[in-house]
Amino acid sequence: MTEPTQADGGTRSPLGPPPAGPGSAPKRALEAVLGDLRAVDGALYAAVAGTSTPTLDRALRRLSHAADHSKVSLGIAAVLALGGTRARHAALVGVGAVAVASASANLLGKRLVHRARPDREAARVTVDRHVPMPASASFPSGHTAAAVAFATAVGVVLPEAAVPLGALAGAVGYSRVHTGVHYPGDVAAGAVLGIASAAAALAAAPARVRQPNTFTAW
């Protein structure tokens, strides 16, 4: 029996790799880029894990706990609801954004991308930082998505609240890496999802709710 003959007259073993298809080069390039990004992601996670920050450990662990089930955001929304009309509108659209972000992260994102949680023990994350390791997939960070969604939506309606709420959302996102339960890439994806969720909640709100406060000087 003769071996298969290639177009150039050579022979190819039946057990050898198939000829490269027209789409294989872009696919290999994409896989290479994703591999590099995963390497950077892991290196950043290891850098945070290996940096001693005893002063911050307890505070960030408590913040990460407080952000479970969006308790921080919902608590702020409750306070805003006691204010004036604009504050109540901000609370309403903020809670709506949290709902969209949480559903998108937990019902879609985590089920589509089955990324395993970081190996916190192998990375030697100090026990002082530990919070319970969730059983769900790692990508994206639901805590970050909800916190960013709330901060973005409320910040549009109440511009004066944008900076403090944005800083709080950033701290929540970082706390998830600091405590060892998420990679930085999970947090970055959660932030993007949070912004998109806020945009969706704002788009669904009446125009009078989306308009920020305006003050007229007399």
Side-chain angles (χ1 to χ4, degrees), residues 2-96:
T2 59
E3 294 182 341
T5 303
Q6 294 177 330
D8 59 2
T11 59
R12 174 175 57 84
S13 168
L15 300 180
S24 60
K27 182 179 180 181
R28 287 197 303 270
L30 177 60
E31 290 174 349
V33 170
L34 292 176
D36 288 349
L37 290 176
R38 284 191 292 268
V40 171
D41 205 16
L44 291 174
Y45 178 87
V48 172
T51 302
S52 179
T53 55
T55 305
L56 294 175
D57 289 349
R58 180 175 296 180
L60 289 171
R61 187 185 71 223
R62 289 178 175 176
L63 176 60
S64 187
H65 263 307
D68 288 346
H69 309 295
S70 299
K71 292 193 294 288
V72 173
S73 297
L74 296 179
I76 294 173
V79 173
L80 290 174
L82 299 177
T85 301
R86 182 60 57 182
R88 289 195 295 273
H89 286 166
L92 180 62
V93 76
V95 170

Side-chain angles (χ1 to χ4, degrees), residues 70-175:
S70 299
K71 292 193 294 288
V72 173
S73 297
L74 296 179
I76 294 173
V79 173
L80 290 174
L82 299 177
T85 301
R86 182 60 57 182
R88 289 195 295 273
H89 286 166
L92 180 62
V93 76
V95 170
V98 168
V100 174
S102 297
S104 300
N106 296 309
L107 300 181
L108 292 177
K110 293 180 183 294
R111 295 187 179 185
L112 292 175
V113 183
H114 302 283
R115 188 181 196 185
R117 292 279 174 172
D119 190 339
R120 189 164 54 182
E121 284 67 32
R124 297 183 180 179
V125 176
T126 178
V127 176
D128 290 341
R129 300 182 183 182
H130 282 197
V131 295
M133 181 66 77
S136 60
S138 189
F139 185 97
S141 168
H143 284 64
T144 306
V148 171
F150 182 79
T152 303
V154 173
V156 169
V157 182
L158 287 178
E160 59 270 28
V163 172
L165 288 181
L168 178 60
V172 168
Y174 175 74
S175 75

